[in-house]
Amino acid sequence: MEDEMLSALSDWFWQDWLWFPEGLGWKDLENKGDEVYAKAGDLWVTLPIALCFLLVRQVFERKVAVPLASLLGVREKVRVRAARCPVLENFFSSKAKQPTQVKTSLLSKQTGYTERQVQRWFRRRRNQERPNQLKKFREASWRFTFYLFAFIAGLAALIDKPWLYEMEEMWKGFPKLTLLPSQYWYYMIELGFYMSLLFSVASDVKRKDFKEQIVHHVATITLISFSWCVNYIRAGTLIMLLHDSADYLLESAKMFNYAGWRKACNYIFIIFAVVFIISRLIFFPFWIMYTTWVYPLTIYKPFFGFYFFNGLLLVLLCLHIFWAVLIVRMAIKFLPGNNIVEDERSDKEETDNSEDDDNEDKANGKAAKMKNGPVQNGHSSLNNHHKKE
C-alpha cells in the first residue's frame, strides 16, 4: 500500500504541466544520439563531491591556510580561561551563557564569589567558545580560494556563450537545450561545494546572520538542483557566475582584516561593496530576474515551475537586501576616525577587564591607606585632627 501511495505521489509530482509550459514535457529531454540533456539522477554525484570538498578543506586549511596566516602575521589574542567552577559551568551549559542580575546575585551566594567575579567568570567563559582569529582566517581563505577559482572557471565556460550578453538567449529553444560538458562540471562542483558548506555549518564560525546563511544555503541548493532538473541551466549558470563575482572579494577582505592589514582590507572592501551592490541589487533583479519573470510570459503561459523558480530567486533577492544593509553599516566605518572594517555579522569578543578590576582594587586599597592624610615625599602624613583628651 505504501509503495502504491509513493508511486502515485511521484507520478503526480513529475507531471509535465507542473514543471513545463503547455505542450512541453519530460519527453523533450530524452537523450537522442549526440543530444544529451540534464537528468535528475545526475545530481547524486554531488554527494561524493561534497565529501571530497570536506576532505580537501581539511588538508588545505592545515597545509596552506596555516602557513599563509603565519606569513601574513595573523596574531592570536591571549585569552584568560575561566577558573573551574562546577556550579557556574552547569548554569552556563544548561541554562544561560549570560545570566541576569538576579541570577548573578543567586550564583554569587551559591559559589561564594562576589557578583563582579561571577560576571568576570561568565565573560571569560563566553570568550573561550568564540572562534579564534586563526580559525576565522582558515575558513575565509578556503572560501576565497573556491570562489575565486569558481568565478574564473564560470567566466571561462560562459565567455563565448550568447546568453551571457543577451539574456533572452537563455530561453531560445527551451526546454530542448543540450548539455555541455563545461555546464555539467560547473553545476556539479558548485552544488557539491554548497552542500559541503551545509554539512560543515555546525563547526564553522557562527555569525549573527547564522539563520540567514542556512536559508541561503538551502535556497541555493534547491535553486541549483531545480534549475538542473527542468533544464534552466543557462539561467542557473548566469546566477552562479553573478554570485561568485563578489564573494571572493569579501573573503579576501576578511583575510586581511584578521591579519591586521587595515589599508588592504579597506580597499578590497570598497571594491567588494561596489561589485556586490551592482551585481546583486542591479544586475540580478533588473536583468536576470526580469528575464526569468517578465520575458518568459511573452513566450509561454505561466506554470507552477515558473512561479517556483522565481520564488527562489525572490528569496535570494531578500537576502541580498539584508546583506546590503550590513555592508552599508560596515562602509560607514570608512568615515574619518575609523581605521578598520569589522564584519558586522561577527560575534565580537568581550574585553576581559580583570586587570582593570585588579587595578581598581589596588586603587581602593591605596585610597584606604591614604584616608588619614595626603602623601608627602612618598609617605603618608600623620593625622593632625585627633581629638585631644
Side-chain angles (χ1 to χ4, degrees), residues 13-245:
F13 182 80
W14 295 107
Q15 289 184 92
D16 293 342
W17 64 271
L18 280 175
W19 308 111
F20 295 97
E22 186 177 353
L24 300 172
W26 298 107
K27 291 183 178 180
D28 296 303
L29 299 182
E30 293 180 356
N31 296 340
K32 299 175 182 177
D34 294 336
E35 297 181 0
V36 179
Y37 299 97
K39 298 290 187 297
D42 298 335
L43 298 178
W44 287 109
V45 75
T46 59
L47 290 176
I49 290 177
L51 294 177
C52 287
F53 270 124
L54 293 175
L55 295 175
V56 172
R57 175 178 177 175
Q58 296 299 317
V59 176
F60 175 89
E61 290 188 356
R62 286 179 171 82
K63 301 298 182 181
V64 178
V66 172
L68 181 61
S70 178
L71 182 64
L72 294 179
V74 176
R75 296 288 183 266
E76 289 295 344
K77 294 181 179 178
V78 178
R79 294 177 177 176
V80 180
R81 297 184 63 84
R84 185 178 180 278
C85 181
V87 174
L88 297 182
E89 183 64 37
N90 180 63
F91 186 93
F92 182 89
S93 303
S94 61
K95 296 182 179 180
K97 295 183 178 181
Q98 190 158 357
T100 62
Q101 183 60 43
V102 175
K103 293 292 184 181
T104 300
S105 300
L106 181 61
L107 292 171
S108 174
K109 295 176 181 178
Q110 292 177 349
T111 59
Y113 289 178
T114 65
E115 291 188 10
R116 175 171 291 182
Q117 288 174 326
V118 172
Q119 293 170 349
R120 185 189 307 168
W121 189 96
F122 275 93
R123 183 169 58 244
R124 291 177 175 179
R125 187 64 181 83
R126 287 193 297 270
N127 282 338
Q128 284 179 212
E129 293 203 338
R130 290 187 172 91
N132 55 39
Q133 292 289 84
L134 182 58
K135 179 177 175 60
K136 293 179 181 179
F137 182 90
R138 288 164 55 182
E139 182 179 314
S141 61
W142 165 248
R143 297 192 183 198
F144 162 77
T145 302
F146 175 81
Y147 290 137
L148 178 61
F149 280 101
F151 175 69
I152 295 173
L155 189 61
L158 293 173
I159 194 69
D160 61 340
K161 304 301 185 296
W163 56 88
L164 178 63
Y165 309 99
E166 296 183 20
M167 298 293 166
E168 292 79 5
E169 287 288 328
M170 72 173 68
W171 296 105
K172 187 175 181 180
F174 176 82
K176 298 181 180 180
L177 306 174
T178 56
L179 179 64
L180 302 175
S182 58
Q183 293 173 328
Y184 173 84
W185 286 111
Y186 190 27
Y187 253 82
M188 296 301 110
I189 291 175
E190 283 274 353
L191 184 55
F193 178 76
Y194 279 106
M195 291 180 68
S196 72
L197 291 183
L198 194 60
F199 294 157
S200 63
V201 70
S203 60
D204 286 345
V205 176
K206 288 182 175 61
R207 305 181 187 278
K208 294 178 182 178
D209 64 343
F210 176 75
K211 294 181 180 179
E212 289 78 9
Q213 284 285 354
I214 295 295
V215 173
H216 175 266
H217 294 339
V218 172
T220 301
I221 291 172
T222 305
L223 178 64
I224 295 175
S225 301
F226 173 75
S227 64
W228 176 268
C229 292
V230 296
N231 217 23
Y232 290 179
I233 293 179
R234 292 181 178 178
T237 52
L238 288 175
I239 294 170
M240 291 189 296
L241 180 67
L242 192 72
H243 283 71
D244 291 336
S245 65

Side-chain angles (χ1 to χ4, degrees), residues 1 4 42 65 187 220 255 295 351 354 361 386:
M1 181 64 69
E4 293 179 359
D42 298 335
Y187 253 82
T220 301
M255 290 169 62
Y295 178 74
T351 303
S354 58
D361 293 339
H386 293 296

Side-chain angles (χ1 to χ4, degrees), residues 369-370 373-382:
K369 293 179 180 178
M370 295 168 59
V375 174
Q376 296 177 353
N377 300 322
H379 303 278
S380 58
S381 59
L382 296 174

